[in-house]
């Protein structure tokens, strides 16, 4: 015999209006400006490479120029990773504040049950969502093209749209 399982109907409960969370950089241009400034700092190091790798340079200076080039690679990779994290955090906060359309990946974010309990018990406090967003994917690396594409998809930006803006076709 089939067993029927039913759940009692829930009485409707009043909803609580959600508090918006602050976004440290309220303008994407601030994030981009910071990125550009860091790129400029990295570019300035090339003057040292030229200086230390001239034909008159001794072997130690030439080795130092190679070290600077390696540093440049690590620096630009790290900067790109940091920039993508900033963009992700910015986009997630915009979605939480209903300023951007929520994407499927956003809707499927896992939030620890303890955090959910805290949020329900303290509806006026939004510190929990900032912590979740700031920690979300903070251990992931966004230096590879596929990972960058995942971040873009997460915040609802298409790689094809970016390519169209640049007049290029993504590979």
């Amino acid at each position: 015999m089939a067993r029927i399982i039913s759940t009692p109907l829930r009485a409707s409960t009043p909803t609580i209006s959600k508090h918006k969370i602050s976004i440290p950089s309220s303008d994407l241009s601030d994030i981009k400006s910071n990125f550009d400034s860091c790129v400029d700092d990295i570019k300035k190091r090339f003057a040292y490479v030229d200086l230390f790798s001239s034909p008159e340079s001794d072997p130690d200076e030439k080795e130092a120029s190679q070290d600077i080039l390696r540093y440049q690679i690590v620096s630009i990779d790290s900067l790109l990773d940091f920039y993508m994290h900033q963009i992700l955090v910015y986009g997630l906060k915009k979605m939480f504040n209903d300023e951007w359309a929520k994407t499927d990946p956003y809707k499927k974010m896992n939030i620890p049950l303890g955090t959910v309990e805290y949020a329900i018990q303290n509806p006026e406090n939004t510190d929990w969502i900032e912590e979740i967003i700031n920690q979300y994917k903070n251990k992931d690396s966004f230096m590879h093209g596929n990972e960058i594409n995942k971040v873009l998809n997460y915040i609802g930006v298409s790689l094809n749209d970016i390519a169209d803006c640049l007049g290029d076709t993504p590979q």
Side-chain angles (χ1 to χ4, degrees):
M1 174 150 109
R3 185 172 167 185
I4 299 173
I5 300 174
S6 64
T7 56
L9 295 176
R10 267 203 285 184
S12 67
T13 55
T15 59
I16 300 170
S17 62
K18 166 173 77 173
H19 297 286
K20 293 193 176 231
I21 56 175
S22 65
I23 301 172
S25 175
S26 60
D27 190 1
L28 281 176
S29 65
D30 293 342
I31 295 172
K32 176 72 166 71
S33 176
N34 182 48
F35 178 81
D36 289 342
S37 174
C38 291
V39 168
D40 289 342
D41 288 343
I42 291 169
K43 285 180 179 179
K44 289 176 187 174
R45 306 274 188 289
F46 284 112
Y48 295 112
V49 172
D50 293 340
L51 177 69
F52 291 144
S53 62
S54 69
E56 302 85 38
S57 299
D58 65 46
D60 288 340
E61 290 173 326
K62 288 182 180 182
E63 185 176 335
S65 73
Q66 294 299 307
D67 289 342
I68 293 169
L69 288 173
R70 283 187 282 277
Y71 165 80
Q72 298 295 76
I73 293 168
V74 171
S75 295
I76 200 70
D77 278 349
S78 297
L79 177 59
L80 177 62
D81 181 62
F82 179 71
Y83 179 69
M84 294 310 299
H85 276 93
Q86 284 184 310
I87 294 296
L88 177 62
V89 167
Y90 181 88
L92 292 174
K93 288 180 178 183
K94 285 289 195 177
M95 285 183 243
F96 181 81
N97 287 338
D98 295 321
E99 295 172 39
W100 285 8
K102 291 175 172 63
T103 61
D104 285 337
Y106 172 89
K107 293 174 187 176
K108 294 177 183 175
M109 276 181 71
N110 292 325
I111 299 175
L113 191 53
T115 303
V116 173
E117 288 174 350
Y118 177 82
I120 291 169
Q121 294 167 358
N122 301 283
E124 71 290 343
N125 187 333
T126 58
D127 292 345
W128 64 272
I129 190 64
E130 289 190 66
E131 185 177 325
I132 291 293
I133 289 173
N134 287 328
Q135 290 179 0
Y136 187 72
K137 298 218 177 260
N138 70 348
K139 291 185 170 65
D140 292 352
S141 172
F142 301 133
M143 292 187 234
H144 188 275
N146 289 339
E147 296 304 315
I148 292 170
N149 195 32
K150 286 179 187 176
V151 169
L152 295 174
N153 287 330
Y154 209 98
I155 60 173
V157 176
S158 164
L159 187 58
N160 289 330
D161 291 341
I162 293 173
D164 288 345
C165 287
L166 299 173
D168 200 3
T169 306
Q171 302 296 328

